[in-house]
Amino acid sequence: MPSLVESPGVVSLLRHAAEERRSKRGGGGVFRMFKLLPMLTSGCKMVALLGSRPGKAMLADKAIAVTLFGYRRGKISLAIQEDPRSPPFFLIELPMHTSFLHKEIDSGLVKLALESETRTHRKKLVEEYVWAVYCNGRKSGYSIRRKDVTDEERHVMQLLRGVSMGAGVLPCLSEKDTADGELTYMRGRFERVVGSKDSESFYMINPDGSGEAELSIFMVRLK
């Protein structure tokens, strides 16, 4: 099986991303902003903090909502939505612990790559099930895309219906869940770039529109 750096699809995506953003480096600081936000206990408080009008999501234009969430001592999940009020069109539990991803975020830029080895092209890319997952060039393992949303995932999506950007702590669905620590989340607005039927990428949009994307997600299907 080709590694991340050997995969022509991923290499092409990374090269295109570098060329597109080479002249845009600078401020931004979305991760720094997330670290400064108070540790909240509900999505409603986050909406109030960021000045959203009641009952209306804050996602502008055609930006995609991307959420990373999970218990501190558990695995991290990735959800991608057209907007905060729509169901995820891509949902997967990543083969890495939440604490590991937090450390990667503390170190600076984070690039997640998901690689599908499916040889047929009858499905849309985001409909593929089995994915090899890489974080900053290192293979983390394999994951299977969720076909159905669990009660807990539905709980998180419901709490964050009015949130387009933020980070903090959410109330657990039940008392037994607290054994894995706090339920943390980070959500951002992302630009979606479709390279072809076999490649897509998502780039976090910084609040001021400048700087290199601090979190990027690349999806590629091997040909």
Side-chain angles (χ1 to χ4, degrees):
M1 186 194 86
S3 67
L4 172 65
V5 294
E6 294 171 340
S7 170
V10 173
V11 169
S12 177
L13 273 176
L14 293 175
R15 184 181 299 116
H16 174 73
E19 291 173 354
E20 286 291 318
R21 284 161 173 75
R22 189 169 294 143
S23 62
K24 298 182 181 180
R25 295 184 179 180
V30 174
F31 280 0
R32 291 193 296 276
M33 182 199 72
F34 284 153
K35 295 170 190 175
L36 292 174
L37 286 172
M39 300 305 279
L40 304 172
T41 57
S42 75
C44 296
K45 290 186 179 180
M46 178 61 73
V47 174
L49 176 69
L50 297 180
S52 174
R53 286 177 290 176
K56 184 175 182 179
M58 296 176 294
L59 215 59
D61 304 319
K62 294 184 179 180
I64 296 294
V66 174
T67 312
L68 291 163
F69 63 95
Y71 290 96
R72 289 190 186 276
R73 291 190 290 274
K75 296 288 183 66
I76 192 87
S77 293
L78 167 68
I80 306 178
Q81 301 162 267
E82 293 290 348
D83 63 72
R85 295 182 178 277
S86 64
F89 63 80
F90 187 82
L91 179 62
I92 194 170
E93 183 181 77
L94 300 175
M96 64 184 73
H97 283 85
T98 303
S99 57
F100 169 80
L101 186 62
H102 286 182
K103 289 179 182 177
E104 292 296 307
I105 289 174
D106 287 339
S107 68
L109 302 180
V110 175
K111 298 183 186 298
L112 294 175
L114 284 73
E115 186 179 80
S116 171
E117 298 176 0
T118 304
R119 301 299 179 182
T120 62
H121 304 284
R122 297 176 183 175
K123 297 179 181 178
K124 293 180 179 179
L125 179 61
V126 296
E127 294 176 347
E128 296 294 353
Y129 280 105
V130 182
W131 297 86
V133 180
Y134 301 80
C135 182
N136 287 340
R138 299 186 298 274
K139 188 172 182 178
S140 299
Y142 287 89
S143 287
I144 298 177
R145 177 180 66 84
R146 290 258 202 264
K147 184 176 181 180
D148 299 308
V149 180
T150 66
D151 289 342
E152 190 163 68
E153 291 161 346
R154 189 176 295 107
H155 167 73
V156 171
M157 296 296 102
Q158 182 65 32
L159 289 175
L160 297 178
R161 279 174 61 85
V163 179
S164 65
M165 181 174 61
V169 174
L170 297 170
C172 298
L173 183 60
S174 62
E175 288 297 326
K176 66 180 181 66
D177 295 327
T178 58
D180 288 328
E182 297 170 312
L183 177 57
T184 65
Y185 79 93
M186 182 180 74
R187 169 172 285 178
R189 300 171 63 248
F190 280 66
E191 174 191 3
R192 183 181 190 179
V193 178
V194 178
S196 70
K197 65 178 182 179
D198 297 313
S199 65
E200 292 188 25
S201 51
F202 302 83
Y203 303 96
M204 180 183 281
I205 301 172
N206 293 326
D208 60 4
S210 65
E212 184 175 5
E214 293 177 300
L215 174 58
S216 304
I217 301 169
F218 304 92
M219 302 177 70
V220 62
R221 177 165 47 196
L222 299 181
K223 297 180 180 180

